[in-house]
Amino acid sequence: MLSIPARRTNDVTPSEITPREVFERRRDFLGTAAGFALGTALAPLSAALASEKPLASIKSPLSTPEKPTPLKDVTSYNNFYEFGTDKADPALHAHTLKTRPWTVSIEGLVKQPKTFAIDDIFRLGALEERIYRLRCVEGWSMVIPWLGLPLATLLKSVEPLGSAKYVEFISAADPKTMPGVNRSVIDWPYLEGLRLDEAMHPLTLLALGLYGEVLPKQNGAPLRLVVPWKYGFKSGKSIVKIRLVEKQPQTAWMKANPREYGFYSNVNPEVDHPRWSQASERRIGEFLKRKTLPFNGYADQVAPLYAGMDLKINF
Ligand SMILES: Nc1nc2c(c(=O)[nH]1)N[C@H]1C(S)=C(S)[C@@H](COP(=O)(O)O)O[C@H]1N2
Ligand SMILES: [Mo]
């Protein structure tokens, strides 16, 4: 088979914003938003969403200075098994995905369980552009200008209880619009999980767009996770439910092949996949391979999360 993959925070200043008038408008919005309940209509933003105009964003200091992978590659070389297992399948088949109406419910060990309509998630805060690497367990990588919000913004809004230790992410699995779900490649729905501190980490992004536009369907519209220090599969696409739990959740890949895919799946050049090395990677669009960096280059920010853990056992 398929080698399935069987196989500093937001201290932003006005000068980092493009364009300026968008910032001014956004700041007005942020200034008044606190006084409104979520769901209050905000004319300029709603209009932008309805017409899917380019999304305004704040440039994040958390971005890598590396050159982004061309949009064409970002949208035509994908893993999204709900639309087939070939890299070309998502771009060919994901047009059937219906991204409106779409809701995301957050439940489990929280004080305020909520169901958000997708457009209300866009209103939780100003979108940030975060240029992050995405490193697939298969040995390729890309650099993608994502647009999104820290996942922590969403999680804080439901007030996690002290007993919540892990977060489970459940992707959509609609056999009518996602043809791959009719085949038992994995046990649907696609499930992912993070420890609560990983989920709350400022690098963990809830992506709503890329390259200045709403997410293309093949990249996990209308919202997907981006966890830049972990292998790509930890970044679940087209999420419909987020559940805070006490015990480490099962994930789709652990269920499919626990020997090959662990819960943590941090990018680690020193721990090989049982069937291939993880020491190097091919950046899509480049010819020569490059060395894979521990935690995909984000060790300074995230290595402390794993202090004292044996990462060969907790792979
Ligand atoms: N729901 C869902 N999410 C998923 C996958 C999938 O098959 N289904 N594939 C994962 C894998 S293996 C990778 S490498 C990334 C690829 O994201 P991209 O296509 O935007 O590059 O999505 C991840 N998220
Ligand atoms: Mo992947």
Side-chain angles (χ1 to χ4, degrees), residues 9-24:
T9 48
N10 332 329
D11 309 321
V12 289
T13 62
S15 64
E16 292 171 277
I17 316 270
T18 45
R20 168 170 292 271
E21 57 171 304
V22 172
F23 169 73
E24 303 289 350

Side-chain angles (χ1 to χ4, degrees), residues 5 7 79 134-138 140 231-233:
R7 44 208 226 266
N79 271 338
L134 181 120
R135 200 316 192 159
C136 180
V137 73
E138 296 162 322
W140 50 268
Y231 291 116
F233 63 92

Side-chain angles (χ1 to χ4, degrees), residues 5 7 74 77-82 134-138 140 142 144 146 171-172 188 190 210 218-220 224 231-238 253:
R7 44 208 226 266
V74 171
Y77 188 89
N78 302 99
N79 271 338
F80 199 173
Y81 280 19
E82 288 84 338
L134 181 120
R135 200 316 192 159
C136 180
V137 73
E138 296 162 322
W140 50 268
M142 298 196 198
I144 302 176
W146 302 104
S171 294
W188 309 104
Y190 192 95
L210 57 78
Q218 57 267 42
N219 294 93
R224 56 93 54 86
Y231 291 116
F233 63 92
K234 296 300 288 183
S235 297
K237 294 177 166 180
S238 304
W253 293 116

Side-chain angles (χ1 to χ4, degrees), residues 8-220:
R8 174 194 113 164
T9 48
N10 332 329
D11 309 321
V12 289
T13 62
S15 64
E16 292 171 277
I17 316 270
T18 45
R20 168 170 292 271
E21 57 171 304
V22 172
F23 169 73
E24 303 289 350
R25 195 170 68 204
R26 186 77 65 164
R27 188 175 51 184
D28 290 349
F29 162 56
L30 292 173
T32 53
F36 288 94
L38 284 173
T40 303
L42 287 149
L45 191 57
S46 315
L49 290 173
S51 60
E52 307 216 334
K53 282 211 199 82
L55 300 172
S57 66
I58 296 167
K59 293 200 182 303
S60 169
L62 297 168
S63 289
T64 168
E66 292 164 281
K67 191 170 159 275
T69 302
L71 177 62
K72 187 175 77 42
D73 294 323
V74 171
T75 57
S76 63
Y77 188 89
N78 302 99
N79 271 338
F80 199 173
Y81 280 19
E82 288 84 338
F83 296 100
T85 53
D86 193 88
K87 296 286 176 288
D89 281 337
L92 293 172
H93 305 302
H95 59 90
T96 56
L97 178 68
K98 256 189 84 203
T99 58
R100 296 289 188 289
W102 190 280
T103 59
V104 184
S105 49
I106 314 189
E107 54 182 54
L109 302 173
V110 301
K111 205 163 152 195
Q112 305 274 359
K114 282 182 189 164
T115 297
F116 290 89
I118 182 66
D119 292 334
D120 290 335
I121 294 181
F122 277 85
R123 296 184 184 103
L124 284 175
L127 297 189
E128 288 179 38
E129 182 195 71
R130 301 256 188 107
I131 306 174
Y132 278 167
R133 293 174 284 272
L134 181 120
R135 200 316 192 159
C136 180
V137 73
E138 296 162 322
W140 50 268
S141 64
M142 298 196 198
V143 175
I144 302 176
W146 302 104
L147 293 174
L149 299 163
L151 176 66
T153 304
L154 190 68
L155 294 178
K156 283 178 193 157
S157 79
V158 296
E159 301 178 54
L161 298 175
S163 51
K165 298 285 182 265
Y166 292 89
V167 188
E168 192 177 9
F169 301 90
I170 299 138
S171 294
D174 173 17
K176 289 201 207 75
T177 57
M178 300 174 128
V181 169
N182 296 301
R183 288 184 282 147
S184 48
V185 187
I186 60 165
D187 191 4
W188 309 104
Y190 192 95
L191 299 178
E192 260 312 329
L194 294 173
R195 223 168 52 191
L196 183 61
D197 58 344
E198 297 177 321
M200 296 293 282
H201 193 278
L203 283 174
T204 304
L205 192 71
L206 193 62
L208 298 160
L210 57 78
Y211 266 104
E213 305 284 342
V214 296
L215 274 179
K217 292 180 176 178
Q218 57 267 42
N219 294 93

Side-chain angles (χ1 to χ4, degrees), residues 234-253:
K234 296 300 288 183
S235 297
K237 294 177 166 180
S238 304
I239 291 168
V240 290
K241 195 175 289 199
I242 299 176
R243 195 181 292 136
L244 284 87
V245 296
E246 190 175 345
K247 297 214 171 68
Q248 183 177 296
Q250 273 286 357
T251 72
W253 293 116

Side-chain angles (χ1 to χ4, degrees), residues 254-265:
M254 287 167 79
K255 282 204 255 179
N257 198 335
R259 208 177 67 87
E260 300 192 358
Y261 303 105
F263 178 78
Y264 284 93
S265 300

